[in-house]
Amino acid sequence: MDIRITDRGYWDDLIIDRLSGNLSADDRARLERWLDESEEHRQYYSQMKELWDSSEGVNPQYRSAAVKAYLL
């Protein structure tokens, strides 16, 4: 399976789903393969995780939207 999806929003969604505990097994495997592809991907994930962790005080109902809005 080719995992060279270039849509950053696609990967943002997978990362947010993982951080929120809502990632399917198939998507988890896809994200893991993407992370294994490059240091750049792992750094991007780390930045997203830091942003996620820093948004802990945001209402959980809006947390994903707040993180995505910050990325725009």
Side-chain angles (χ1 to χ4, degrees):
M1 170 188 290
D2 184 8
I3 59 173
R4 297 187 186 280
I5 297 170
T6 58
D7 179 10
R8 191 178 87 179
Y10 174 83
W11 297 111
D12 290 348
D13 288 345
L14 287 186
I15 292 168
I16 289 171
D17 285 348
R18 179 179 182 172
L19 295 172
S20 65
N22 296 317
L23 194 61
S24 71
D26 287 342
D27 285 342
R28 183 176 301 115
R30 187 172 295 120
L31 180 60
E32 290 299 325
R33 287 191 303 268
W34 181 78
L35 290 170
D36 289 341
E37 279 186 354
S38 73
E39 180 62 25
E40 181 181 359
H41 293 172
R42 290 184 293 278
Q43 287 177 356
Y44 186 74
Y45 176 85
S46 292
Q47 291 170 349
M48 290 280 292
K49 184 172 183 334
E50 284 180 32
L51 181 59
W52 181 264
D53 291 344
S54 71
S55 69
E56 188 173 345
V58 175
N59 182 324
Q61 180 180 355
Y62 303 111
R63 191 173 186 186
S64 296
V67 170
K68 287 181 186 181
Y70 182 82
L71 296 169
L72 296 177

